[in-house]
């Protein structure tokens, strides 16, 4: 474990043009394209949304905790039963909303745009 913990991975880069996003959409793997399209659509609709994509899961990027705490809400679209969201909740003790799909089909941008809008409406 010590060897793994000492692996240097690049910091997580966040795409937040306004710097005022209340919601971070965090993805990994095959969710990159649909998340990017959904975030682009949300921004065109006037919503302030940040996006980041994890490329290293073990170890996580050193700045991941700070990135997660920058926004009020974190949405994690996953093509599984929410394993990444579960790891983030356990490791960083923050509330993470998991948007899951397990049907063998990729997310569509419209599905994720609706999930983004719903996450921003929640109190």
């Amino acid at each position: 474990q010590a060897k793994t913990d000492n692996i240097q991975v690049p910091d997580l880069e966040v795409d937040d043009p306004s710097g005022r996003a209340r919601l971070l959409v965090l993805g990994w793997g095959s969710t990159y394209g649909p998340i990017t399209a959904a975030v682009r659509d949300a921004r065109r609709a006037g919503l302030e949304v940040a996006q980041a994509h994890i490329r290293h899961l073990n170890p996580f990027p050193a700045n991941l905790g700070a990135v997660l705490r920058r926004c009020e809400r974190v949405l994690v679209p996953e093509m599984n039963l929410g394993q990444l969201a579960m790891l983030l909740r356990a490791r960083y003790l923050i509330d993470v909303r998991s948007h899951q799909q397990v049907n063998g089909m990729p997310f569509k941008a419209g599905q994720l745009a609706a999930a983004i809008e719903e996450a921003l409406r929640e109190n």
Side-chain angles (χ1 to χ4, degrees):
Q1 184 63 48
K3 286 181 182 180
T4 300
D5 289 342
N6 287 324
I7 295 172
Q8 297 298 314
V9 299
D11 279 347
L12 183 64
E13 294 181 21
V14 179
D15 177 16
D16 181 9
S18 73
R20 298 183 309 265
R22 292 178 38 230
L23 174 69
L24 169 66
V25 183
L26 181 67
W28 71 283
S30 66
T31 62
Y32 179 80
I35 288 173
T36 300
V39 167
R40 182 186 60 233
D41 292 346
R43 289 177 181 162
R44 283 187 189 147
L47 303 175
E48 292 179 341
V49 180
Q51 173 186 359
H53 201 76
I54 295 178
R55 286 176 170 61
H56 302 278
L57 295 173
N58 191 23
F60 282 132
N63 70 333
L64 181 56
V67 166
L68 295 173
R69 289 181 183 90
R70 280 180 30 189
C71 294
E72 294 173 26
R73 295 182 177 94
V74 178
L75 176 65
V76 180
E78 296 187 71
M79 300 295 301
N80 56 40
L81 297 176
Q83 287 91 330
L84 178 58
M86 182 178 61
L87 287 171
L88 296 172
R89 283 186 198 111
R91 175 86 183 262
Y92 299 104
L93 302 176
I94 62 162
D95 186 26
V96 174
R97 180 186 173 109
S98 179
H99 184 76
Q100 307 161 14
Q101 178 171 296
V102 186
N103 63 6
M105 300 297 294
F107 281 118
K108 294 190 184 319
Q111 291 173 298
L112 296 183
I116 288 170
E117 290 176 20
E118 182 180 333
L120 284 169
R121 280 194 308 265
E122 293 178 349
N123 289 333

